[in-house]
Amino acid sequence: MPRRRTKRGNERTPLDCSRDVLICGASFAGLAVARELASTGANVLVVDRYEIGERQTSACAAPTEWLRKLGLEDSMRQTFDTLVVHTPHTEVRMRLPWTFSTFDYPELCALLWEQCDASFETAKVNGRTGGVIHTDRGDLEAPLVVDALGWRRLLDGDGYQPPDAPLSRGLEVHPWGASDELEIWIDRGYVPAGYGWSFPASDEIRVGVGSFDPRHHVKEPTVRLASDLDRDAVRYQGNWIPHQLRPAAADGIFFCGDSAGHCLPLTAEGIRTALYFGIACGRELRAVVQEEKPLEAALRDYAAFSASHRWKFEAMLRAQRLVPRVPPRLLAYMLRGMETRSFLDWSFGHYLAIAPPGFASEPRTTPTAPALARAA
Ligand SMILES: Cc1cc2nc3c(=O)[nH]c(=O)nc-3n(C[C@H](O)[C@H](O)[C@H](O)COP(=O)(O)OP(=O)(O)OC[C@H]3O[C@@H](n4cnc5c(N)ncnc54)[C@H](O)[C@@H]3O)c2cc1C
């Protein structure tokens, strides 16, 4: 369990609330938004209940090219060009057309933060009444507000709760150790619908299980997978994972990352998409700050950009629902058929194109709605 570094007692003074932009949440999505606002002259406040980088919530694997484009190479721990997929009836080695890298969460957040010129305060956001954001350090208001608070989507009245909501759940342990393989297990012996993983990151391995069905608990299978791999079940972390898009703008608020359901169904890959939609959101805010666009147009264009990805997310969700229903022997047969170079290039190429790394390096100018839709 990481040591808490958040402000306590007398340090928790009321916050100054005269800002142009208030970004709630300082993880992937929130920091991507703030980064995009650097050097606009906007007075940006980022708040989070923990210090930046203090509380990791994922296995921290992302396409290497995304990390490079954002200048985050120094946080990378290990890079993989092959994904090993285990099922009860086969083991398939998929040579990827692009690589995945695991990274160190505090380092990545620090590197993103270095590229921002916002200010940061620790504060717990409790909710919103109209344009007023309630925190444990007082009420805040700003003309531009972003909810990057994760799956709870706290700044929308329309909250939903597990286990009835479209949420998956994931839990992992972080034993010390080393391995060269990025591995996943599609095995009903661990989880009826979902998968297990082992993601090495230099001197630690992130071993976990995710269930697409929120009613299935994942602690016992996570401990069992760790034990089957001869790893210690230590240093736990877990969270709910949204698997359905939600409106990216509502009631004057921008939502990005898990708060807008931007995590991809089937793979539960949500870091790249949080960065991608965070950048798109930041570019819209930038246009408003620079008086190139009214707020209403920015909200509308950002929501349209997010919604233009709906069919891709829905296709992934259909696959998420289908895979657990495929008989295991047939699944093994299908996976073996997927090992071909041409299939892997085609399928992983399309998969990366849902949120392509090139988006990060486009010039920080204001995209128009058609330009954003083309990028999608
Ligand atoms: C076990 C597990 C492993 C995963 N592994 C991967 C992976 O390897 N690769 C991948 O791409 N995705 C992975 N994911 C998914 C990924 O973690 C999320 O999709 C991603 O973190 C979303 O980023 P975000 O910035 O939207 O939200 P989050 O990362 O959840 O950040 C939300 C931020 O808001 C803050 N916050 C929340 N509530 C409050 C509040 N009330 N007041 C103030 N601050 C608050 C939090 O402290 C946090 O900093 C994994 C998920 C889980 C559960």
Side-chain angles (χ1 to χ4, degrees), residues 25-30 47-50 57-62 105 123-126 148-152 154 170-172 197 199 237-241 256-259 263 268-272 274:
S27 185
F28 307 106
V47 296
D48 197 292
R49 60 186 163 168
Y50 303 117
T57 56
S58 90
C60 291
Y105 181 72
K124 180 170 179 292
V125 176
N126 294 322
L149 291 165
W151 68 269
R152 277 194 188 83
L154 268 168
L171 181 71
E172 62 186 17
W197 64 87
F199 290 179
Q237 69 179 15
N239 206 350
W240 297 98
I241 310 170
C256 58
D258 278 6
S259 76
C263 189
E269 197 202 339
I271 296 169
R272 159 168 66 118

Side-chain angles (χ1 to χ4, degrees), residues 97-164:
W98 40 272
T99 61
F100 262 108
S101 292
T102 48
F103 59 85
D104 180 85
Y105 181 72
E107 276 186 42
L108 178 128
C109 291
L111 288 168
L112 275 175
W113 185 241
E114 271 173 22
Q115 300 174 45
C116 304
D117 60 13
S119 44
F120 174 79
E121 293 286 349
T122 51
K124 180 170 179 292
V125 176
N126 294 322
R128 175 176 72 94
T129 311
V132 181
I133 312 303
H134 308 298
T135 81
D136 65 346
R137 296 180 65 191
D139 289 346
L140 299 173
E141 278 183 89
L144 301 171
V145 178
V146 179
D147 179 335
L149 291 165
W151 68 269
R152 277 194 188 83
R153 195 179 166 94
L154 268 168
L155 300 189
D156 192 2
D158 179 26
Y160 53 30
Q161 285 297 321
D164 303 317

Side-chain angles (χ1 to χ4, degrees), residues 69-361:
K69 292 274 189 217
L70 294 175
L72 306 171
E73 296 95 325
D74 286 353
S75 65
M76 281 167 23
R77 287 294 174 268
Q78 226 173 310
T79 296
F80 306 88
D81 63 7
T82 301
L83 175 66
V84 184
V85 183
H86 305 270
T87 79
H89 301 290
T90 195
E91 180 190 299
V92 168
R93 303 181 73 82
M94 295 186 169
R95 187 81 196 267
L96 307 176
W98 40 272
T99 61
F100 262 108
S101 292
T102 48
F103 59 85
D104 180 85
Y105 181 72
E107 276 186 42
L108 178 128
C109 291
L111 288 168
L112 275 175
W113 185 241
E114 271 173 22
Q115 300 174 45
C116 304
D117 60 13
S119 44
F120 174 79
E121 293 286 349
T122 51
K124 180 170 179 292
V125 176
N126 294 322
R128 175 176 72 94
T129 311
V132 181
I133 312 303
H134 308 298
T135 81
D136 65 346
R137 296 180 65 191
D139 289 346
L140 299 173
E141 278 183 89
L144 301 171
V145 178
V146 179
D147 179 335
L149 291 165
W151 68 269
R152 277 194 188 83
R153 195 179 166 94
L154 268 168
L155 300 189
D156 192 2
D158 179 26
Y160 53 30
Q161 285 297 321
D164 303 317
L167 296 164
S168 302
R169 66 195 304 170
L171 181 71
E172 62 186 17
V173 290
H174 288 189
W176 300 114
S179 164
D180 293 330
E181 312 256 62
L182 187 73
E183 297 172 273
I184 65 167
W185 284 261
I186 307 174
D187 184 338
R188 290 172 198 176
Y190 289 119
V191 61
Y195 66 95
W197 64 87
S198 168
F199 290 179
S202 176
D203 55 356
E204 70 170 24
I205 319 255
R206 297 156 187 174
V207 178
V209 171
S211 170
F212 302 142
D213 183 339
R215 290 165 304 181
H216 281 118
H217 292 267
V218 283
K219 180 161 183 193
E220 186 280 330
T222 298
V223 172
R224 190 150 44 87
L225 177 58
S227 155
D228 291 349
L229 299 176
D230 261 336
R231 306 285 179 193
D232 294 331
V234 291
R235 303 195 294 151
Y236 285 83
Q237 69 179 15
N239 206 350
W240 297 98
I241 310 170
H243 55 237
Q244 210 157 301
L245 277 187
R246 306 175 77 181
D251 206 12
I253 310 285
F254 293 83
F255 295 86
C256 58
D258 278 6
S259 76
H262 285 148
C263 189
L264 291 165
L266 182 66
T267 57
E269 197 202 339
I271 296 169
R272 159 168 66 118
T273 47
L275 296 168
Y276 172 71
F277 287 102
I279 291 171
C281 176
R283 288 179 183 162
E284 290 296 342
L285 296 178
R286 201 177 167 92
V288 179
V289 166
Q290 294 176 336
E291 298 184 344
E292 293 161 6
K293 221 184 228 194
L295 169 59
E296 294 69 30
L299 285 161
R300 188 195 57 223
D301 289 350
Y302 173 62
F305 174 63
S306 176
S308 70
H309 295 70
R310 180 171 297 280
W311 70 272
K312 297 173 187 171
F313 278 71
E314 286 178 353
M316 298 283 300
L317 185 56
R318 279 196 295 278
Q320 172 174 308
R321 288 180 178 142
L322 181 69
V323 172
R325 294 197 197 128
V326 178
R329 282 186 195 283
L330 178 59
L331 182 67
Y333 176 76
M334 288 164 69
L335 282 169
R336 282 194 293 268
M338 290 175 192
E339 263 182 311
T340 62
R341 178 79 276 148
S342 56
F343 181 82
L344 291 174
D345 287 355
W346 175 83
S347 55
F348 278 88
H350 279 284
Y351 177 64
L352 187 66
I354 297 173
F359 191 73
S361 53

Side-chain angles (χ1 to χ4, degrees), residues 14-20 22 43 45 133 138-143:
L15 294 175
D16 157 27
C17 56
S18 54
R19 308 294 174 130
D20 302 321
L22 172 62
N43 190 344
L45 174 63
I133 312 303
D139 289 346
L140 299 173
E141 278 183 89

